[in-house]
Amino acid sequence: MRLEDRYGRVATDLRVSLTDRCNLRCSYCMPAEGLDWLPDDTVLSDDEVVRLVRIGVELLGIREVRFTGGEPLVRRGLVDIVRRTSALGVETSLTTNALGLAHTAHALAEAGLDRVNVSLDSIRRESFKEITRRDRLADVLAGLAAAQEAGLGPVKVNAVLMRGINDDQAPELLSWAIREGYELRFIEQMPLDAQHRWSREGMVAADEIFERLEREFTLSPAAEPRGSAPAELFVVDGGPATVGVIASVTRPFCGDCDRVRLTADGQIRNCLFAREESDLRAALRAGASDEEIAERWVTAMAGKRAGHGIDDPTFLQPDRPMSAIGG
């Protein structure tokens, strides 16, 4: 068995959300007061997470596992989950806001974590505070440094530009990332905010990002093929540094997608923008065998749509926000 959809795409990259909770309140993700978190009894236990990951790896051909949230570092069992997943022989990574990473980076590396992606939209204290509603920039920078020291590289930094807040900071972010040895990726803001306030007009699109960067840098397409990776890579000033742009909205890469998502409460999502989910938690807790769960998973992937459809007039934003889906 493998996770193949009707268009011939095969999912080998599993994104596992370990929690919908987060210790930041980024304005493009959730309101200042937070959200109604998932009830504890609906969230998969550590053993349940590892079992589903094992089924994906051993029966369905999953080769990469990335742990996400919410914020995965708030999950108490994270290090043990990473250790048990790494033992399955797959590449493991973590998408995090890096709060607390300074204290856990070495433990995660020892558990077998391969690398981290850190979300950071500004290196200016006031801009960071405005976006996240928390004055924690110093902690994020300390977490990044700890990840690099622990060998969790290449350390990638993901940045979203917000119009009127940090859309003038793209060159500054790139200069900083090159200086520190991080790989920077700009991501177009996607319609996954809890408030449903996203608009194409307000989004800082890839073309605008390139235009701002090229005022100060010479960019040339990287020689390596993108494949299923979402970022378009560019060499900066002749190299060796690169910068990436993930243009999920204006330059979708759905045709090359190899991802599948498992939410913290055990639902399979075959697309980030899917409006339907398939419940593996119920089968798991009802005593289903590994093979029965795998068959449910295969069925869930078969119904994947050709693309996310953001440009379609009938597009509806998913009910779950990004914090409850996992990036």
Side-chain angles (χ1 to χ4, degrees):
M1 286 187 288
R2 61 180 187 170
L3 297 172
E4 183 172 7
D5 65 32
R6 54 186 166 170
Y7 301 99
R9 296 168 298 191
V10 178
T12 58
D13 183 342
L14 173 61
R15 307 296 172 93
V16 181
S17 172
L18 295 176
T19 178
D20 62 330
R21 298 171 186 256
C22 189
N23 41 17
L24 295 180
R25 295 291 182 269
C26 296
S27 58
Y28 55 79
C29 184
M30 66 175 71
E33 64 274 15
L35 299 167
D36 292 329
W37 310 125
L38 291 169
D40 289 345
D41 61 350
T42 68
V43 175
L44 296 175
S45 69
D46 294 0
D47 287 344
E48 288 172 332
V49 170
V50 174
R51 183 183 173 196
L52 289 177
V53 170
R54 180 181 56 76
I55 291 170
V57 173
E58 295 181 353
L59 299 183
L60 298 171
I62 292 297
R63 297 197 297 268
E64 300 176 37
V65 178
R66 180 181 297 183
F67 296 106
T68 69
E71 173 45 52
L73 288 178
V74 306
R75 175 87 181 218
R76 290 183 179 178
L78 174 61
V79 173
D80 187 54
I81 291 171
V82 168
R83 180 179 294 108
R84 295 163 69 185
T85 299
S86 180
L88 297 172
V90 291
E91 178 182 322
T92 57
S93 59
L94 182 76
T95 294
T96 173
N97 62 28
L99 292 185
L101 189 57
H103 307 295
T104 56
H106 284 275
L108 287 167
E110 290 173 2
L113 189 70
D114 292 303
R115 58 182 180 83
V116 296
N117 285 32
V118 174
S119 301
L120 177 62
D121 306 316
S122 177
I123 55 169
R124 299 181 189 175
R125 181 180 175 184
E126 288 306 312
S127 296
F128 179 90
K129 185 177 178 181
E130 182 177 0
I131 294 169
T132 67
R133 303 185 177 103
R134 299 290 187 271
D135 190 7
R136 303 290 301 276
L137 177 60
D139 296 313
V140 175
L141 297 179
L144 276 161
Q148 193 170 60
E149 181 184 349
L152 295 173
V155 175
K156 296 182 179 179
V157 175
N158 299 331
V160 174
L161 297 182
M162 304 285 292
R163 196 169 301 284
I165 299 176
N166 66 336
D167 56 330
D168 61 336
Q169 297 177 31
E172 177 182 329
L173 277 164
L174 181 52
S175 294
W176 165 81
I178 293 172
R179 186 168 63 250
E180 298 295 331
Y182 306 137
E183 295 188 6
L184 181 62
R185 305 288 184 265
F186 290 100
I187 304 177
E188 288 182 338
Q189 183 189 354
M190 293 178 282
L192 290 168
D193 59 309
Q195 305 93 310
H196 287 212
R197 293 177 181 170
W198 178 91
S199 71
R200 180 178 287 269
E201 296 73 25
M203 178 189 71
V204 180
D207 286 346
E208 186 174 346
I209 295 170
F210 287 126
E211 190 274 329
R212 290 180 179 273
L213 290 175
E214 288 175 335
R215 294 176 188 175
E216 299 189 26
F217 302 96
T218 299
L219 305 181
S220 54
E224 61 184 85
R226 181 167 80 173
S228 62
E232 292 183 69
L233 278 184
F234 294 84
V235 175
V236 182
D237 292 340
T242 62
V243 64
V245 176
I246 301 176
S248 304
V249 177
T250 62
R251 304 181 188 182
F253 37 87
C254 301
D256 295 318
C257 182
D258 65 351
R259 293 163 190 77
V260 58
R261 289 171 169 80
L262 174 66
T263 66
D265 57 348
Q267 311 300 306
I268 288 295
R269 296 179 65 88
N270 57 31
C271 174
L272 188 60
F273 295 95
R275 293 189 59 79
E276 305 84 22
E277 299 177 336
S278 299
D279 187 2
L280 296 189
R281 183 192 68 218
L284 193 74
R285 294 182 178 178
S289 68
D290 289 357
E291 290 73 17
E292 289 170 334
I293 291 171
E295 288 172 2
R296 284 175 176 255
W297 201 333
V298 168
T299 300
M301 287 305 297
K304 185 172 181 174
R305 296 181 180 181
H308 55 49
I310 294 176
D311 281 333
D312 192 308
T314 64
F315 172 78
L316 293 174
Q317 183 171 333
D319 292 330
R320 290 205 200 219
M322 177 66 91
S323 61
I325 295 173

